Amino acid sequence: RDSPPMRAALASPRAARPATTIVRALSTAPRAPRVADGETLDVLGASKLRVVQSKVGYRTGVDALALAWFARRSRGDVESFADRACDLGAGSSGAVGLAYALSGARPARATFVEAQRDSCERLRRSVETNARASDAFDVVLGDVVEDARALLDDRKMRRAFDVVLTNPPFFEATRGTPPKNKEKKGARFGILEDGGAATIHDFIGFAKEALREDGEFFVVYPSLGRARLLAAMVAAFGDDAVRATDVFDHEGASRPSLVFARATLRGYPGDAVETSCALYQEARVGEGKRAYVDSFEMFLQRVAQAGAGV
């Protein structure tokens, strides 16, 4: 059936940006989003999240869902509180923010920020498709460089969030060869539509301003960039306020493939302790599906159950 009505509010700090779409699901009946030519409606594995993505653009990977799992696990008892979360650089799927929000026990409150206009339009449909009647989801068009002040002040995002999550561009715009596809260029290198670029420092700086005093910031990054990520986070938050967890593809893997990092304005008690986790139970063999580690699988099932009535 047709998507539920939405209210939209526009600001004009820079060519009518950022724009906010406030998503409220009016029914728990299943909704099929509009899917245009060149797009696909995809189900993200065991999470059952349904998202609209470009056939040739950036496609959501397991790292997005894994970050949401790590953040939810780190935050503790999901029965006791309802976080207000921000998915920074949400892409067209909003998978990080959706998985985190829907895995909580209480009605979800989340804001999804995306810099690319086409991706943001797909994001709106993805978020709308998965929103429950009790959820309060905002979809915002804007970047963490040119639109930072408008987002933080005009959109009242400064000191607004218990949790900020980001699966940021992994590559530096000044190194390597960016792909020609605009969406991939933005997702992987942080290259903005006006030709500028958003660096990991920009994402970290924005997150620091958006966090509440007792909030936490969560990032997933390739293990090869671990030192660069942690140096940037320590520079912004301080050495006692940053913690890292090495992420192995599977139990028994010899080296990590990703790193989860988290930070808080107040700092963490005690000395930093090296921690690690794995995503899969076994190494890949052929093209068959692999089983996730139990806690990750249970998290994805919780997300799927939350969306079962959507």
Side-chain angles (χ1 to χ4, degrees):
R1 66 183 181 81
D2 293 340
S3 300
M6 293 177 295
R7 295 180 291 120
L10 299 178
S12 55
R14 179 169 65 97
R17 291 166 62 97
T20 303
T21 297
I22 304 174
V23 177
R24 301 288 187 271
L26 303 184
S27 169
T28 56
R31 295 184 301 280
R34 177 181 61 82
V35 179
D37 290 342
E39 297 178 341
T40 58
L41 177 62
D42 302 308
V43 177
L44 300 184
S47 75
K48 304 301 183 185
L49 292 173
R50 297 182 298 159
V51 300
V52 181
Q53 302 188 100
S54 168
K55 289 182 179 178
V56 297
Y58 180 77
R59 311 281 289 181
T60 298
V62 69
D63 49 345
L65 297 173
L67 176 62
W69 162 59
F70 175 74
R72 181 59 77 185
R73 187 178 68 172
S74 300
R75 294 292 287 172
D77 183 8
V78 297
E79 303 292 340
S80 62
F81 57 85
D83 286 328
R84 184 181 179 195
C86 176
D87 184 349
L88 199 56
S92 61
S93 73
V96 178
L98 284 169
Y100 182 85
L102 294 175
S103 63
R106 299 187 180 186
R109 296 178 298 162
T111 296
F112 302 78
V113 180
E114 171 53 36
Q116 298 188 68
R117 192 174 295 274
D118 290 345
S119 295
C120 195
E121 167 55 25
R122 285 190 283 270
L123 172 63
R124 179 190 63 78
R125 285 177 277 148
S126 294
V127 169
E128 184 182 71
T129 300
N130 293 281
R132 301 165 300 186
S134 57
D135 295 329
F137 291 155
D138 299 343
V139 176
V140 180
L141 173 66
D143 67 67
V144 297
V145 182
E146 298 294 338
D147 297 324
R149 178 169 294 182
L151 292 171
L152 290 168
D153 295 329
D154 297 349
R155 290 292 156 217
K156 303 187 185 305
M157 293 175 67
R158 192 182 301 276
R159 301 285 176 260
F161 299 101
D162 302 292
V163 174
V164 177
L165 311 107
T166 187
N167 182 12
F170 290 164
F171 303 107
E172 296 179 89
T174 56
R175 299 184 180 183
T177 304
K180 294 182 179 180
N181 180 274
K182 181 178 67 174
E183 190 174 49
K184 290 181 179 179
K185 188 185 300 182
R188 295 176 181 173
F189 286 82
I191 297 175
L192 305 174
E193 292 184 341
D194 63 2
T199 69
I200 187 61
H201 298 276
D202 295 317
F203 279 85
I204 293 170
F206 187 95
K208 183 179 179 181
E209 294 301 315
L211 279 178
R212 289 175 174 163
E213 286 299 320
D214 58 349
E216 277 190 287
F217 174 45
F218 293 91
V219 189
V220 61
Y221 215 66
S223 186
L224 289 175
R226 186 184 197 274
R228 181 161 63 94
L229 170 66
L230 296 183
M233 292 184 69
V234 167
F237 287 90
D239 189 61
D240 65 342
V242 177
R243 295 290 184 266
T245 297
D246 289 316
V247 185
F248 292 81
D249 175 78
H250 60 277
E251 295 174 340
S254 60
R255 63 182 64 180
S257 55
L258 298 169
V259 61
F260 293 138
R262 58 189 177 121
T264 178
L265 295 175
R266 291 184 173 181
Y268 294 107
D271 296 331
V273 177
E274 294 289 328
T275 60
S276 64
C277 66
L279 301 183
Y280 298 95
Q281 295 182 18
E282 298 177 341
R284 178 178 296 281
V285 178
E287 299 298 324
K289 291 184 177 180
R290 293 187 288 170
Y292 295 116
V293 295
D294 290 344
S295 59
F296 190 17
E297 179 65 31
M298 291 175 62
F299 168 81
L300 295 175
Q301 290 177 5
R302 186 182 186 99
V303 175
Q305 289 167 3
V310 174

